[in-house]
Amino acid sequence: MLLRLEGIRKHFGGVIALKNGNLSVDAGEVHLLLGENGAGKSTLMKIVAGMYQPDGGEIVWKGGKAGFRRPAEAARMGIAMVHQESLLAPHLSVAENIFLGREQRMPLGWVNRGRMLEAARRLIEEHRFPLHADWRVEKLSPAGKQLVEICRAIQHGSSLLIFDEPTSSLSETETQAVFRIVRMLRDRKMGVIYITHRLEELRSVGDRVTILRDGETVHSGPLEAITTQRIIQHMVGREIGAIYQRQPLEPGEELLRVEGLTRKPALEDISLSVRAGEIVGLAGLVGAGRTELCRALFGLDTVDAGTVKIAGRIVRVRSPREAVAEGVALIPEDRQKTGLATALPVGYNLTITDIGKVSRFGFFLDHAAEKRLAAEFASRLRIRCESPRQLAGRLSGGNQQKVVIAKWLVRGARVFLFDEPTRGIDVGAKTEVYEVMDELARSGAAILMVSSELAELLQVADRILVMRRGRVTGELPGRTTQEEVMRLATLHEGGATIAGEQE
Ligand code: ADP
Ligand code: MG
């Protein structure tokens, strides 16, 4: 047994992050650590890596009782962690980062750059990693940065490597590359703990699984012996219905039609159409042009050529204001930054896009009308909040998303552009978001939905358009397979985009 954690407890002020964390990992095993946001996964691993001190419980490392007071101490004992946010030194090279804190020094304390570069090169070559020792880390893609952290762990002879949600910012090809490396580390008898909340990726990488809920280990066992449905139940702590599958409906009139839309160099000759009642998925790798397409349709970016028709009428949308006037809504990827005023009350958020509807004489806010509207949409979308005066930032992820949607309904939008609507939302709440989108479609909206989670697009979309390098490379029916979508998304693509933008 490499590592055993027993009854680990940890609190931060009044917040109990862990009340009973248990987990054990063998050498040559990939151990999945699962749980909803806030379950305590990162905290438990930071305790193992010496970043936090536990309040209680036992850590057994290679057969002896242990406890690491500092990350450097854990690192010396052979424990390495690839963090959610990169901790590398951005302005230094790959080689320098691999040796950071353990530079090869010459007698007078000078760093021996030549030897370092040489050792880094050998390591990269031996593992055939798509990296160069002298590349600058700040220019690497997220996947490239992870590779550097993995190189660090290998170079320093770590026996346990912890990944904290490594693929949340990676494209599908990059994710596959990380999996290959994880399997390689396992074959070399390293222990790997792998945190993820993307359930569709579990089976391709794990041996055993531990599930945390509210700071407590609620299940531990071999991955083969448990169904995904059971895993979800353990994570959310209640029975949830069968995996969501939307019932398609008969589409109505064509609400959005795009022809030959071009914005150099991001978008090239895009044509598509979405009818009332339809949810059309936009799949593709990061950088394929999906977000750019949403921005162009919402008037945030100008276009070089092409036409856009809303409900059969050609429109020229040159600003978000004009898009809103045409009934187009954008729910951006980062709703906390751009879609929701988290520090303001729910009621205010619901009405802020259209003060006209709740003001008398143009400038006095009519609180009664605001309350009525907010209440109407809060109940239509089943927004769970204590009162319209509750701060939007206090709602759960799924309910925040509903507030953003309701806000557009107040404004009378009919064409909805959703950019990664469930990113960062828990499994339980995701289904709620799908249901709201379905309800929107049923009430006559046309929906274009960007998502990097293929499983989600297959569950929700009527049709899936696949984009690659600014073009639509294919269209698939909603009930297609992940493999088929991947084939179109990566066509002639070759390797991953580890290098980023090296000059
Ligand atoms: P997970 O990684 O499973 O999403 P975390 O371990 O990050 O969960 O968090 C568990 C709980 O502890 C959450 O309620 C979180 O808000 C809290 N928490 C984590 N780190 C800190 C910290 N440094 N200070 C205060 N609270 C924290
Ligand atoms: Mg975490």
Side-chain angles (χ1 to χ4, degrees), residues 12 15-17 35-44 52 84 164-165:
F12 298 100
V15 179
I16 296 174
E36 289 201 298
N37 280 337
K41 307 177 296 291
S42 295
T43 304
L44 189 61
Y52 295 148
Q84 245 162 340
D164 194 350
E165 303 214 18

Side-chain angles (χ1 to χ4, degrees), residues 284-312:
L285 305 179
V286 172
R290 299 167 304 167
T291 294
E292 283 81 358
L293 177 58
C294 292
R295 290 179 55 89
L297 291 175
F298 194 61
L300 281 163
D301 295 332
T302 55
V303 298
D304 300 323
T307 56
V308 175
K309 280 188 195 164
I310 306 280

Side-chain angles (χ1 to χ4, degrees), residues 59-225:
I59 304 175
V60 180
W61 175 244
K62 294 183 173 169
K65 258 186 88 163
F68 309 114
R69 281 182 305 265
R70 277 183 307 280
E73 212 171 296
R76 252 199 322 276
M77 300 297 284
I79 296 172
M81 186 157 170
V82 176
H83 291 273
Q84 245 162 340
E85 319 82 30
S86 168
L87 299 180
L88 299 171
H91 53 286
L92 297 181
S93 70
V94 167
E96 285 166 315
N97 268 283
I98 292 178
F99 287 96
L100 203 65
R102 302 185 179 195
E103 288 92 351
Q104 309 225 334
R105 293 195 186 268
M106 310 240 276
L108 283 172
W110 298 103
V111 174
N112 187 337
R113 284 179 197 287
R115 273 235 304 273
M116 215 162 68
L117 208 60
E118 195 37 51
R121 278 204 189 109
R122 265 202 314 275
L123 177 83
I124 290 167
E125 225 163 79
E126 185 195 337
H127 296 87
R128 277 182 261 128
F129 288 150
L131 276 179
H132 278 288
D134 44 11
W135 277 350
R136 269 158 73 95
V137 158
E138 64 190 341
K139 303 222 163 133
L140 296 176
S141 68
K145 291 187 180 134
Q146 285 184 12
L147 260 185
V148 176
E149 301 219 38
I150 293 166
C151 287
R152 264 179 78 84
I154 298 174
Q155 176 64 33
H156 302 315
S158 306
S159 32
L160 176 68
L161 186 52
I162 300 166
F163 290 85
D164 194 350
E165 303 214 18
T167 58
S168 52
S169 56
L170 302 192
S171 72
E172 203 64 28
T173 340
E174 291 171 331
T175 301
Q176 294 308 323
V178 171
F179 286 173
R180 252 197 321 278
I181 293 163
V182 166
R183 285 189 287 260
M184 178 206 82
L185 297 174
R186 167 179 59 191
D187 294 344
R188 302 172 133 226
K189 293 288 170 248
M190 233 193 225
V192 176
I193 299 179
Y194 188 95
I195 300 181
T196 179
H197 67 265
R198 287 169 60 165
L199 295 177
E200 76 270 18
E201 64 182 31
L202 310 181
R203 307 270 166 196
S204 35
V205 79
D207 298 311
R208 285 201 302 147
V209 50
T210 287
I211 304 168
L212 278 181
R213 184 172 76 236
D214 297 334
E216 212 167 345
T217 296
V218 291
H219 175 90
S220 223
L223 183 60
E224 284 170 4

Side-chain angles (χ1 to χ4, degrees), residues 177-340:
V178 171
F179 286 173
R180 252 197 321 278
I181 293 163
V182 166
R183 285 189 287 260
M184 178 206 82
L185 297 174
R186 167 179 59 191
D187 294 344
R188 302 172 133 226
K189 293 288 170 248
M190 233 193 225
V192 176
I193 299 179
Y194 188 95
I195 300 181
T196 179
H197 67 265
R198 287 169 60 165
L199 295 177
E200 76 270 18
E201 64 182 31
L202 310 181
R203 307 270 166 196
S204 35
V205 79
D207 298 311
R208 285 201 302 147
V209 50
T210 287
I211 304 168
L212 278 181
R213 184 172 76 236
D214 297 334
E216 212 167 345
T217 296
V218 291
H219 175 90
S220 223
L223 183 60
E224 284 170 4
I226 187 167
T227 62
T228 303
Q229 188 70 14
R230 271 309 276 159
I231 290 176
I232 295 174
Q233 282 168 12
H234 279 306
M235 284 170 63
V236 302
R238 59 189 157 91
E239 297 282 322
I240 68 168
I243 289 183
Y244 182 84
Q245 185 72 57
R246 175 170 180 260
Q247 289 309 314
L249 44 136
E250 195 58 43
E253 65 164 321
E254 186 176 71
L255 282 185
L256 172 67
R257 182 174 195 87
V258 177
E259 273 167 12
L261 194 79
T262 299
R263 171 184 161 80
K264 292 196 168 91
L267 300 171
E268 190 74 45
D269 195 20
I270 306 270
S271 298
L272 58 88
S273 127
V274 188
R275 295 163 67 178
E278 264 194 318
I279 300 180
V280 173
L282 266 183
L285 305 179
V286 172
R290 299 167 304 167
T291 294
E292 283 81 358
L293 177 58
C294 292
R295 290 179 55 89
L297 291 175
F298 194 61
L300 281 163
D301 295 332
T302 55
V303 298
D304 300 323
T307 56
V308 175
K309 280 188 195 164
I310 306 280
R313 202 166 48 80
I314 292 188
V315 297
R316 289 199 55 106
V317 166
R318 280 155 305 194
S319 69
R321 179 179 289 272
E322 290 176 0
V324 172
E326 298 295 347
V328 179
L330 172 68
I331 292 93
E333 195 170 345
D334 192 350
R335 70 187 168 281
Q336 306 250 358
K337 263 195 204 129
T338 33
L340 190 74

